Structures are given as structure tokens and as C-alpha cells.
Amino acid sequence: MVKVDKFIPKAIEKISQQVEGKAIIALSGGVDSSVCAILAHRAIGDRLTPIYIDTGLMRKGETERIKEIFCDMNLQVIDAKDRFLGALAGIEDPEEKRKAVGETFIRVFEEEAKLLEADCLIQGTIYPDRIESEGGIKSHHNVGGLPSVIDFKAIVEPIEDLYKDEVREVARALDLPHEISERMPFPGPGLSVRIVGQVTEELVEIVREANAIVEEELVERFHPWQTFAAIVGKGTGVKGDVRVHGWIVAVRAVGSRDGMTAEAMELPWEVLSRIESRISAALPTVARVVYDLTPKPPATIEFE
Ligand code: XMP
């Protein structure tokens, strides 16, 4: 386990040495990038500009909350929804989706970096991201999905050797709000990997609403490592007297220590049943709601 008292000053010192000019950080609002933003801000002060890219693939209310929480920093919020949807259009393959999102991310950052004359990019990559990317299991957007031409002078990854629970400890020691330090992991490619197959604006809206319902029902009461909803395909349902071909929403709730392995949570029937009724009532194009029982392995946590 990391010794936070030693880790924090050492990380700050290392960032000051690595960053010569101005730096930007990809602030997503997750615990990883938030910890990096605070460390980097302490290391280089106003030479840091945290940038939040609104990809249009974030959870409900997330952008508004980030603006509130980081209002003390020189936060730049970039609306790039159309660019991300455009980059994803027509793509079905999960790894291609990750690459499309990753490349768009980096391009938007590069543009901002140039405007700000920043030559350093700070990233919240953690140890399991690195291991899984090196092992070819999945290209995480902040490691394997990078395009080959990057003109940043340096890429700094202050927490690349930490596991998630260690990052949370550092977050608590840095006095980040509970909402951030205990926040569930959320994939870099956002809701795009919670839609199996092609991503459209309509499906993003559906999955965003379903995710919000699942989080409301499960996070505070059961403290899962991760819980979410995904659209996994189409199936037949009945609306009134008519058979319809609607979306299948899968609910996932898992316990885990580090995301490398996970087990499905045993949830009370009344809770699962309420989730189903709320999703079916709120989203008329959903025909079916299912609960995923599969541990990791053999499944992964996300559906793609
Ligand atoms: P899987 O689905 O591989 O996920 O069991 C393990 C953990 O990683 C998250 N995840 C990602 N995070 N970019 C990320 O930054 C990605 O492409 C990505 N894919 C999965 C997942 O939510 C879980 O916490």
C-alpha cells in the first residue's frame, strides 16, 4: 500500500522537475485525473490549465458538477460533443471506438495546448491501465489509444504506479471531496463503450438516463466498485397490443479490489425489480431489462 505522506511530496517534486513550461491536464472528474490535477497544481501553480472536454459521452449532470467542484482552478470546459459523435459514426468494433475517442481526445487537447502554448500533457493513467494495455487486453484511451504523432514535449503520468484504492487514499489525503475520492471508475471512452455496436445520439441519451437510474438505486445503498447500464442489442417486447423491436438494457453491479477481477453483486429482488420498472417507464424504446451475473473473468466489467 502506498505511503501517502511520502508519495505526495515526492510526486509534486517530480512534476516540478518534469514540467518546464506550461502544462495541461485532461480533467475528467474521476478520482485519477482529479488527484493528478491537484498534485500538478501544487507543483506548478498557474502554469497548469486543467481542461475538461465535454465529449457528450459523460454521465447525467457530470459536466455541471465538475464546473462547480473545480471552480477555483483555471478550468477550461470545451464543448466537443459533435466531434466525438462524428468520430464514432458508423464504427462497431470496440477497439476502433476506443481509438476514435482517444484520437479525438488528444487532437482536442493538442489544439488547446497550442492555444495555451502548453508543451506538456499530464495524464491520470494508473497501474492496471498500463498492465492491461501492455498485455494487449484492451487499449485504454490514455495509454494504447494514443495516435502516433503527438507534439507534446512531455507526457507526465504522476500516478502510473498506483492501484485504484491507493489513488483514493491519496485523494482523501489531498482533501478532495468525498464525491470525487469515492467516485466509481468511469471509462475514458465514456458511455460509448456502454452501447454495444454503433453509437448514435439517441442511444447515448437512452444509456445516460438508464445509467442515472441504476446509480441512484445502487451507489449509496450498496457501494459497488462499479455499477451502470449498457445497451446490449435489440429484442422483442409488447407495447399495448403491438409487438415492438426495442433496446435491451443490461444492468451491471460488481464488487472488485482493483478492476482486474470482479464479481457480480447479489442484489435484493425488490431493488432489481424497481430498476426494471423505472427504466421501462422512463425509456419507451427499451423492450427488456436484464441483470448480468457474470464475474470477471470470464467477462470484463464493461460490455465492450
Ligand atoms: P474491463 O471492462 O476491462 O474494465 O473489465 C476494467 C476497468 O477499466 C475501465 N475501463 C476503461 N477505462 N478506458 C479507461 O480509461 C477504457 O477504454 C476502459 N475500458 C474499461 C472499466 O470501467 C473498469 O473500471
Side-chain angles (χ1 to χ4, degrees):
M1 200 43 121
V2 66
K3 293 198 165 55
V4 287
D5 297 353
K6 286 192 178 148
F7 174 82
I8 292 172
K10 233 168 137 181
I12 293 172
E13 175 64 25
K14 205 167 156 196
I15 297 167
S16 339
Q17 285 166 2
Q18 286 174 305
V19 183
E20 287 168 8
K22 292 184 188 170
I24 56 174
I25 177 158
L27 181 67
S28 70
V31 63
D32 305 341
S33 61
S34 300
V35 161
C36 289
I38 302 284
L39 292 172
H41 193 247
R42 290 197 186 170
I44 60 168
D46 289 345
R47 285 192 286 135
L48 174 77
T49 304
I51 295 180
Y52 174 84
I53 296 187
D54 185 356
T55 61
L57 303 167
M58 307 306 285
R59 285 166 295 182
K60 195 172 175 180
E62 201 152 27
T63 301
E64 292 67 31
R65 286 206 299 279
I66 300 305
K67 284 188 198 164
E68 282 163 23
I69 294 168
F70 293 94
C71 61
D72 290 346
M73 283 194 197
N74 181 26
L75 177 69
Q76 305 240 347
V77 177
I78 314 294
D79 178 355
K81 294 187 198 93
D82 294 343
R83 284 179 71 168
F84 281 88
L85 271 182
L88 283 163
I91 303 180
E92 281 194 16
D93 179 77
E95 290 303 282
E96 291 302 313
K97 281 160 78 171
R98 283 194 166 77
K99 287 207 174 90
V101 173
E103 284 177 14
T104 310
F105 231 101
I106 291 296
R107 294 226 174 87
V108 174
F109 268 115
E110 279 177 331
E111 288 166 17
E112 294 307 313
K114 277 191 192 125
L115 288 176
L116 293 160
E117 295 174 337
D119 51 17
C120 173
L121 176 70
I122 297 177
Q123 292 202 124
T125 313
I126 64 169
Y127 188 66
D129 296 342
R130 204 148 56 87
I131 295 306
E132 293 207 344
S133 287
E134 280 166 9
I137 296 170
K138 185 175 283 181
S139 63
H140 287 261
H141 86 273
N142 46 2
V143 185
L146 291 179
S148 52
V149 187
I150 297 172
D151 53 13
F152 289 111
K153 226 159 102 186
I155 294 188
V156 174
E157 298 181 320
I159 54 170
E160 64 180 336
D161 295 325
L162 302 189
Y163 279 96
K164 194 62 126 190
D165 49 359
E166 296 178 315
V167 182
R168 292 194 199 285
E169 263 206 53
V170 175
R172 290 177 207 121
L174 289 170
D175 284 333
L176 270 159
H178 180 267
E179 182 187 349
I180 298 274
S181 65
E182 311 313 313
R183 184 174 289 209
M184 293 187 298
F186 184 62
L191 297 175
S192 74
V193 290
R194 294 184 179 170
I195 297 166
V196 173
Q198 291 192 31
V199 175
T200 63
E201 202 170 352
E202 180 212 346
L203 292 186
V204 174
E205 286 312 319
I206 295 172
V207 90
R208 195 186 338 265
E209 195 54 43
N211 264 269
I213 292 170
V214 169
E215 285 194 18
E216 273 170 36
E217 292 290 341
L218 301 182
V219 172
E220 290 304 319
R221 190 164 159 199
F222 299 99
H223 304 290
W225 160 269
Q226 251 174 305
T227 188
F228 57 86
I231 295 172
V232 296
K234 285 200 119 178
T236 302
V238 271
K239 303 263 167 179
D241 294 337
V242 187
R243 287 168 81 85
V244 291
H245 202 210
W247 299 109
I248 302 173
V249 167
V251 176
R252 189 101 165 108
V254 295
S256 178
R257 179 188 172 255
D258 54 15
M260 311 275 255
T261 60
E263 61 288 335
M265 291 180 85
E266 207 174 309
L267 296 171
W269 186 256
E270 47 94 12
V271 174
L272 288 169
S273 183
R274 193 167 50 245
I275 290 173
E276 180 284 311
S277 351
R278 286 189 61 189
I279 291 176
S280 299
L283 299 163
T285 55
V286 172
R288 196 172 291 251
V289 179
V290 299
Y291 184 58
D292 184 0
L293 300 176
T294 330
K296 173 182 180 176
T300 50
I301 295 175
E302 303 288 342
F303 283 83
E304 286 202 328

